[in-house]
Amino acid sequence: MDAAAMKDEVGRAAAAHVEPGMRLGIGTGSTAEAFIHALASRVSEGLRIVGVPTSERSAKLCAELGIPLATLEELPELDLTIDGADEVDPQLRLVKGGGGALLREKIVAAASARMLVIADGTKKVAHLGAFPLPIEVNGFGFVATTLAIEKASGMLGLSGPIQLRMAGEKPFITDGGHLIIDASFGLIPDPEALSAALHAIPGVVEHGLFLGLASSVLLAGPDGLERLGAP
């Protein structure tokens, strides 16, 4: 089974978890898009839900496929968010933000009673850090913020390239109008300490460590689906 087939499989499995009447957070990324297509199929068959997308990209796809949408202002409390991840560890801690939507993804996940994470089995890791950590930052004071990130991470024994994410020849800009720094720290022994250190830097808007947010994880692999966490 190739990666696309695994994403389709886990997307269909996630769509089966959606119940009538749900207020649903809808994630961003290629695996989330497989879920969106599966959800649209159920909506076309009569499933009634309202979705809150985590990015303009997901909002556009949902609208094209006929999935009813609302804003988080209209639905500030959600029943379930379904989203992908770039890494998942045994404690259900995540690295997210490879698609650049980490701020909205975290806001939506925090507004939800539960978060179901969907991914292919390659995203399961013993320790977070192989995937570069996305850090969303304000454009004002970018150099000062970058230096502060280097200092704070260095005090935790972390090092490695810290690079501004580009989109072609220009900096990548998030839906919120911010920049993203991708920090290749390698192994992150204490994600909670790094989270606190990054949040203490004024120029950091948000980071891609999702701690204590995932309720369960569905992983697709060659031998089928694996579930981590609560049903």
Side-chain angles (χ1 to χ4, degrees):
M1 184 183 295
D2 63 18
M6 287 190 285
K7 289 176 182 179
D8 288 342
E9 181 182 20
V10 77
R12 289 191 297 270
H17 283 74
V18 179
E19 300 174 2
M22 272 189 164
R23 301 160 296 175
L24 189 67
I26 298 175
T28 297
S30 57
T31 308
E33 287 179 4
F35 160 68
I36 291 170
H37 281 279
L39 177 65
S41 179
R42 290 198 62 197
V43 168
S44 70
E45 295 168 355
L47 176 69
R48 292 181 173 272
I49 57 94
V50 179
V52 173
T54 57
S55 67
E56 300 300 326
R57 171 178 163 183
S58 290
K60 183 175 183 290
L61 180 59
C62 288
E64 291 173 351
L65 296 175
I67 296 173
L69 297 178
T71 66
L72 196 59
E73 285 67 35
E74 294 166 328
L75 294 178
E77 295 181 327
L78 304 176
D79 301 302
L80 174 68
T81 283
I82 296 178
D83 203 352
D86 299 301
E87 287 187 332
V88 181
D89 79 1
Q91 289 76 46
L92 306 191
R93 297 177 296 193
L94 316 173
V95 169
K96 288 180 51 56
L102 60 111
L103 174 60
R104 293 190 183 186
E105 287 173 336
K106 191 173 283 188
I107 292 171
V108 169
S112 302
R114 294 184 293 130
M115 181 186 188
L116 171 61
V117 176
I118 54 175
D120 65 77
T122 64
K123 306 299 173 63
K124 180 182 177 183
V125 298
H127 303 282
L128 300 179
F131 190 90
L133 178 65
I135 305 170
E136 189 161 344
V137 301
N138 199 300
F140 180 81
F142 169 76
V143 173
T145 299
T146 301
L147 292 174
I149 291 171
E150 291 177 343
K151 181 178 180 181
S153 59
M155 292 179 68
L156 294 173
L158 301 173
S159 62
I162 296 177
Q163 299 176 324
L164 174 66
R165 185 179 298 186
M166 304 295 289
E169 296 182 357
K170 297 182 179 180
F172 176 90
I173 303 297
T174 70
D175 287 344
H178 305 124
L179 303 173
I180 288 185
I181 292 171
D182 290 309
S184 298
F185 291 135
L187 173 66
I188 301 174
D190 191 341
E192 286 77 13
L194 179 57
S195 173
L198 292 174
H199 276 145
I201 299 171
V204 171
V205 178
E206 192 48 85
H207 58 69
L209 290 168
F210 281 52
L211 310 176
L213 288 171
S215 308
S216 56
V217 177
L218 278 178
L219 298 169
D223 299 323
L225 294 175
E226 177 185 4
R227 178 186 286 277
L228 307 176

